[in-house]
Amino acid sequence: SSSSGDEALRDKRARILSRGLPKQKPIEGVKQVVVVASGKGGVGKSTTAVNIALALAANDSTKEVGLLDADIYGPSIPKMMNLKGNPELTSKNLMRPLKNYGISCMSMGFLIEETAPVVWRGLMVMSAVEKLLRQVDWGQLDYLVIDMPPGTGDVQLSVSQNIPVAGAVIVSTPQDVALLDARKGAEMFRKVHVPVLGLVQNMSVFQCPKCKHETHIFGADGVRDLAKALGLDILGDIPLHVNIRETCDSGQPVVISQPQSDAAKAYLKIAMEIVRRLPVAPA
């Protein structure tokens, strides 16, 4: 039949394409990798990644969690996690992650001056990503959360093709411009066979601190509509709240500094939804 012929052709194409791809090699000591991505910058992806990593650890104290900042040009994890300094080297010449709030962190921001711009071409960026993935002594981690740079470029492809990724989380705000790029991000992960665990609708609603009136500044339910169109789940909604921004700017993310707040509870729920959708971790 024509449908079985089409399927055979698709399989053949996939085999031919996969010959040129690097063989995926797990990161030593890391059981599962979760990438947090966005098609567009400025949608709160790094803030979400930081609070998800902290929420994964808060939900289950038996789990070891790491956080890798793969945004080479704009590393923000050091500030958000209140970390400074250069990583020490082990006897095997591997970098030892810096640690705060029980989370092991690695970032380009630890290797350059805080105000120094990274003026590099693509190949140098790829080399840096490879070092951050392979030349770090993560110890034993249950989850490694990777904060991806925005977009669908070299870094996203390199990470997806070089290491086994258990799942991707796409962060978007509800307005149309962000949703266009979020869709591209989701489609990219599907093309490289990374399961998309679901979408996070960030800055979903603003509540006036004085009168409590709620305003959908970026539109209402845009991410929910996109999830429906793509056949994906919504992992949760994060409100547009000054506390989320202030706590991350001060290096005390809301999950740690205000664990009883609505914002922290939203991140804790998202972390729970992520774990529920992950495949069974290797023993």
Side-chain angles (χ1 to χ4, degrees):
S1 72
S2 65
S3 64
S4 61
D6 289 346
E7 203 168 313
L9 188 60
R10 276 199 298 272
D11 286 347
K12 189 177 178 184
R13 274 190 197 138
R15 282 199 303 276
I16 291 167
L17 284 169
S18 66
R19 281 180 207 156
L21 296 177
K23 189 165 171 55
Q24 284 188 338
K25 184 181 161 200
I27 301 171
E28 196 172 334
V30 176
K31 285 185 183 173
Q32 291 187 303
V33 173
V34 176
V35 298
V36 178
S38 67
K40 186 174 174 55
V43 297
K45 169 189 50 63
S46 293
T47 300
T48 305
V50 163
N51 280 294
I52 282 175
L54 290 163
L56 285 167
N59 280 341
D60 188 343
S61 58
T62 67
K63 302 296 185 188
E64 290 294 327
V65 181
L67 180 59
L68 172 59
D69 187 352
D71 194 345
I72 303 299
Y73 290 118
S76 49
I77 299 304
K79 182 172 180 61
M80 291 184 179
M81 289 296 287
N82 197 23
L83 286 166
K84 274 186 182 176
N86 301 114
E88 294 175 4
L89 291 178
T90 67
S91 55
K92 293 181 180 176
N93 219 29
L94 297 173
M95 292 181 284
R96 194 170 275 134
L98 275 62
K99 202 163 186 175
N100 197 12
Y101 309 124
I103 308 291
S104 301
C105 301
M106 182 50 64
S107 169
M108 192 69 200
F110 299 147
L111 309 175
I112 56 170
E113 290 293 321
E114 192 175 13
T115 55
V118 176
V119 190
W120 287 355
R121 291 191 186 275
L123 282 173
M124 290 176 75
V125 172
M126 302 317 296
S127 173
V129 169
E130 183 66 17
K131 284 183 171 65
L132 291 174
L133 287 173
R134 301 285 179 204
Q135 294 182 19
V136 176
D137 179 10
W138 289 106
Q140 296 298 313
L141 292 182
D142 294 284
Y143 308 115
L144 176 62
V145 177
I146 301 184
D147 177 24
M148 299 282 251
T152 54
D154 287 347
V155 173
Q156 287 82 353
L157 281 174
S158 184
V159 170
S160 305
Q161 292 172 352
N162 278 288
I163 60 171
V165 177
V169 174
I170 311 281
V171 180
S172 182
T173 47
Q175 83 266 38
D176 290 349
V177 173
L179 294 169
L180 280 172
D181 292 338
R183 179 188 281 269
K184 289 175 191 169
E187 296 293 357
M188 182 209 73
F189 284 119
R190 281 179 168 170
K191 279 188 176 171
V192 293
H193 309 295
V194 169
V196 178
L197 303 175
L199 277 65
V200 171
Q201 182 161 256
N202 199 25
M203 309 183 201
S204 58
V205 65
F206 172 73
Q207 186 184 68
C208 174
K210 290 191 173 133
C211 70
K212 305 300 179 190
H213 176 71
E214 292 191 345
T215 307
H216 295 274
I217 291 174
F218 295 110
D221 288 336
V223 179
R224 289 183 180 281
D225 296 340
L226 176 63
K228 203 171 176 182
L230 294 174
L232 294 170
D233 295 332
I234 283 281
L235 300 172
D237 290 76
I238 307 295
L240 177 61
H241 203 292
V242 68
N243 282 7
I244 298 174
R245 195 270 305 162
E246 284 176 348
T247 53
C248 263
D249 278 356
S250 65
Q252 298 176 320
V254 72
V255 167
I256 284 293
S257 57
Q258 299 173 15
Q260 298 307 314
S261 65
D262 288 344
K265 285 174 185 171
Y267 287 118
L268 292 163
K269 177 185 172 288
I270 287 168
M272 227 160 53
E273 295 294 331
I274 288 170
V275 171
R276 214 154 60 79
R277 288 163 175 77
L278 284 172
V280 176

